[in-house]
């Protein structure tokens, strides 16, 4: 009796199973390093597959933005959590990119040289350091030096949505007031009229402003509740 053919099929089946199992842990990368770029159509995926960073279009197809959204939702436009170039969209559909520039900033470019957005930090990369950008498991985009020093993070620059762990507050020394700012419309993530933040008059209240006009306030904080 010839057992060669069944044995060959079994061996082939085992090889396929092993290859499939080896491929299961593979997933999208979550980091960018100097010299790398994220092109339109590519994404970064956080550990745990909860958050995703990449290009999206909320309205007109020739207006592209870099944003972070919940990966598990089928319609990402309903879960856009943070937007980088919200005031200057990429209009060249084949030329948009997110990259680390030689000066150590994270930038969004339109055609390679036309810069639309930058982290705009002045901390240079020293000769004995490297710099890396990572989408963390909590949805924060951090830019770290190789010694672990964080030089920039998206949680310090909220757009219109709160993500647990995000910092929103008033720095009494510098006067910097971190606020949430609405989209201009459902299809335009540019800053709208409404903002939410802490009263810069130091009244320990949350305010919603329509431009400069207060529209709502929480009441003073008494140490426990407003």
């Amino acid at each position: 009796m010839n057992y060669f053919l069944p044995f060959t099929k079994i061996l082939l089946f085992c090889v396929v199973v092993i290859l499939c199992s080896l491929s299961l842990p593979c997933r999208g990368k979550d980091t960018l390093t100097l010299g790398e770029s994220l092109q339109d159509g590519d994404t970064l995926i956080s550990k745990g597959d909860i958050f995703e960073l990449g290009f999206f279009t909320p309205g007109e197809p020739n207006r592209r933005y870099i944003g972070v959204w919940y990966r598990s939702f089928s319609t990402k436009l309903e879960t856009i959590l943070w937007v980088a170039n919200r005031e200057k969209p990429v209009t060249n559909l084949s030329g948009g990119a997110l990259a680390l520039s030689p000066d150590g900033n994270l930038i969004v470019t339109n055609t390679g040289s036309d810069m639309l957005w930058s982290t705009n930090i002045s901390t240079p990369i020293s000769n004995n350091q490297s710099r890396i950008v990572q989408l963390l498991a909590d949805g924060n985009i951090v830019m770290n030096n190789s010694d672990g020093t964080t030089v920039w993070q998206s949680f310090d620059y909220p757009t219109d949505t709160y993500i647990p762990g995000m910092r929103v507050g008033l720095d009494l020394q510098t006067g910097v007031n971190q606020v949430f700012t609405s989209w201009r419309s459902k299809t335009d993530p540019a800053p709208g009229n409404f903002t939410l933040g802490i009263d810069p008059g130091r009244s320990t209240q949350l305010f919603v402003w329509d431009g400069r006009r207060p529209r709502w306030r929480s009441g003073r904080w008494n140490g426990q509740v407003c």
Side-chain angles (χ1 to χ4, degrees), residues 18-214:
I18 292 173
L19 290 176
C20 289
S21 64
L22 289 175
S23 66
L24 287 177
C26 296
R27 58 177 181 81
K29 60 182 294 186
D30 63 355
T31 60
L32 277 180
T33 57
L34 193 63
E36 295 182 325
S37 64
L38 189 75
Q39 303 294 322
D40 198 339
D42 299 331
T43 62
L44 298 184
I45 301 172
S46 68
K47 291 181 180 178
D49 291 340
I50 298 176
F51 298 95
E52 189 168 12
L53 180 151
F55 284 90
F56 72 96
T57 298
E60 299 179 20
N62 63 337
R63 298 168 68 88
R64 302 284 285 167
Y65 301 86
I66 281 285
V68 175
W69 57 85
Y70 282 118
R71 176 172 166 77
S72 59
F73 283 75
S74 59
T75 306
K76 66 183 178 185
L77 288 181
E78 296 179 356
T79 64
I80 299 296
L81 305 170
W82 184 85
V83 185
N85 57 316
R86 60 188 306 191
E87 297 185 73
K88 294 184 178 181
V90 173
T91 55
N92 184 339
L93 298 186
S94 62
L98 176 73
L100 266 172
S101 65
D103 67 358
N105 277 288
L106 184 64
I107 61 173
V108 177
T109 58
N110 198 27
T111 56
S113 58
D114 183 13
M115 187 172 66
L116 303 175
W117 174 87
S118 170
T119 50
N120 198 29
I121 61 173
S122 57
T123 307
I125 304 175
S126 60
N127 294 332
N128 60 344
Q129 291 282 340
S130 60
R131 189 162 288 177
I132 187 171
V133 173
Q134 184 176 18
L135 177 63
L136 299 184
D138 59 2
N140 193 12
I141 307 168
V142 297
M143 186 158 56
N144 290 339
N145 288 334
S146 54
D147 63 0
T149 304
T150 299
V151 295
W152 182 90
Q153 59 179 347
S154 61
F155 273 14
D156 287 338
Y157 301 90
T159 52
D160 71 325
T161 305
Y162 177 77
I163 305 173
M166 183 175 283
R167 293 179 57 190
V168 180
L170 172 64
D171 190 321
L172 299 179
Q173 294 184 343
T174 64
V176 173
N177 195 11
Q178 295 163 316
V179 298
F180 295 107
T181 306
S182 66
W183 284 26
R184 184 173 294 169
S185 69
K186 289 186 66 175
T187 58
D188 187 353
N193 289 333
F194 293 92
T195 56
L196 167 66
I198 295 176
D199 177 19
R202 305 186 182 189
S203 67
T204 67
Q205 298 182 84
L206 287 174
F207 270 78
V208 173
W209 293 275
D210 181 357
R212 295 187 177 182
R213 180 184 176 186

